[in-house]
Amino acid sequence: LCFKYIRKTFSRFLTYLKHNWGQILIVVALLILAVGVLYPLFVLIIRSFKLSRDDLADPFAISARFTFDNYQVAWASIKDAFINSLVTSIGVTVGTMILASLLAFAFIRFNFPLKKVLFYAIIALMMIPGILTLISRYRLALDMGLVGSLWGIILPGMAGYVPAAFMLLFTFFSGIPHDLFDAADVDGANDLRVYYHIVLPLSKPILSTIAIQTFVGEWNDYLWAKLIIGKNEAINTLPVFLTSFSTTYADPNSFLGMGVPFAGYVLSAIPLVLIFIVASKQFIEGLTSGAFKM
């Protein structure tokens, strides 16, 4: 009886495989991909709690001994750079959202000379790789006295993110029914009230999408920040600071060892995780509401 049950179950299993082998392959591929993505993060977290001798003995094993000293030392070292990154990332994100939303609203709401020319000029800016304008942007920042200050990171950063944010917002604003604008005009609302009370509340999903993309991009920016900071280490941002911070604890004889920079990496990722948790619902709505239809 047991043998018949096993045989029947195996036969059902083969039948299921025969009819669903495509889905099974997709699931297996996704599981392999998930392991490939999550395993480095797992290694990063467990090594951030290790002592130097345990890390050297077996870097990829879970140690029986854990220490929070790595995080205390890491935070004491990176807190100034952490604050600088917060200031620059929030400044670039808020500035980009304000400028891009006002610009998109103007193109939707008003007719003015050379409107189409300006529109295609903004689109053309998206086609130029940022690396090609690196020297000219740095020269401009140097002439404006922005090198060696956080404004040198914030203002050019806003200019770099505005074109793409404008296109997303323009596409989204174009889908807002014009009857709402007509009703606001009948009620005597000026353009600023229409922008603030009608357009912005309806645009929360796409604004959240832009905010997350801009914040993450600016938080991880290294090259431009490195150029602007120069020798002024007081305004180091996290990506710039962590590159040199990693070599400080590379000595195998150090008590804490590489656990300290690994702890710094974990701490640097916390704002990105938090902002996605807070705005994930709006972010997904922005992705699925036609935000990326060009």
Side-chain angles (χ1 to χ4, degrees):
L1 183 62
C2 181
F3 177 75
K4 289 183 178 180
Y5 177 78
I6 295 174
R7 183 177 180 181
K8 186 176 181 180
T9 303
F10 185 71
S11 177
R12 290 179 177 177
F13 177 71
L14 292 178
T15 303
Y16 177 82
L17 290 179
K18 182 179 179 180
H19 291 87
N20 300 277
W21 62 270
Q23 295 182 2
I24 293 174
L25 289 178
I26 293 174
V27 171
V28 172
L30 290 176
L31 287 175
I32 295 174
L33 181 62
V35 171
V37 171
L38 296 177
Y39 182 71
L41 297 178
F42 170 75
V43 173
L44 170 66
I45 293 174
I46 63 172
R47 293 187 69 177
S48 68
F49 289 100
K50 282 187 175 184
L51 297 173
S52 179
R53 54 181 177 270
D54 295 332
D55 189 43
L56 290 173
D58 194 345
F60 303 104
I62 299 177
S63 176
R65 294 177 295 184
F66 292 92
T67 178
F68 287 94
D69 293 343
N70 296 336
Y71 284 88
Q72 294 177 358
V73 175
W75 175 249
S77 301
I78 72 170
K79 61 181 179 181
D80 292 336
F82 191 95
I83 294 173
N84 290 336
S85 284
L86 274 181
V87 171
T88 56
S89 298
I90 292 175
V92 171
T93 301
V94 173
T96 298
M97 292 171 64
I98 293 174
L99 292 178
S101 60
L102 287 173
L103 184 61
F105 178 74
F107 272 84
I108 292 296
R109 186 70 169 158
F110 308 120
N111 289 315
F112 47 86
L114 301 177
K115 180 178 178 179
K116 287 187 177 181
V117 175
L118 292 174
F119 180 81
Y120 288 114
I122 295 173
I123 295 178
L125 291 175
M126 298 173 56
M127 309 302 173
I128 303 174
I131 195 68
L132 296 182
T133 61
L134 190 63
I135 297 176
S136 58
R137 280 188 292 140
Y138 179 78
R139 182 63 190 179
L140 179 62
L142 186 64
D143 293 340
M144 296 177 65
L146 299 176
V147 175
S149 70
L150 293 179
W151 286 112
I153 301 175
I154 295 174
L155 295 179
M158 291 165 51
Y161 287 107
V162 162
F166 161 76
M167 284 304 304
L168 296 179
L169 288 167
F170 178 84
T171 304
F172 193 90
F173 290 175
S174 299
I176 298 177
H178 284 277
D179 293 342
L180 293 176
F181 298 144
D182 296 337
D185 292 337
V186 172
D187 290 339
N190 58 34
D191 293 318
L192 186 60
R193 290 180 63 87
V194 172
Y195 166 79
Y196 185 76
H197 292 286
I198 295 178
V199 175
L200 290 186
L202 292 175
S203 306
K204 287 181 179 179
I206 184 59
L207 287 174
S208 298
T209 302
I210 293 173
I212 293 176
Q213 290 180 327
T214 305
F215 188 92
V216 172
E218 187 61 30
W219 184 267
N220 294 324
D221 180 64
Y222 171 79
L223 182 57
W224 180 251
K226 178 66 174 178
L227 289 174
I228 292 297
I229 290 169
K231 297 181 180 180
N232 188 6
E233 296 182 357
I235 63 170
N236 268 340
T237 57
L238 268 177
V240 177
F241 180 79
L242 287 175
T243 53
S244 59
F245 183 61
S246 302
T247 60
T248 304
Y249 293 89
D251 184 4
N253 298 320
S254 173
F255 176 72
L256 295 174
M258 289 300 294
V260 175
F262 284 137
Y265 302 153
V266 174
L267 291 173
S268 67
I270 290 177
L272 304 182
V273 175
L274 291 179
I275 192 175
F276 185 78
I277 291 175
V278 171
S280 60
K281 181 179 179 181
Q282 291 80 6
F283 179 77
I284 295 173
E285 289 180 1
L287 294 177
T288 57
S289 62
F292 287 92
K293 290 182 180 179
M294 293 295 181

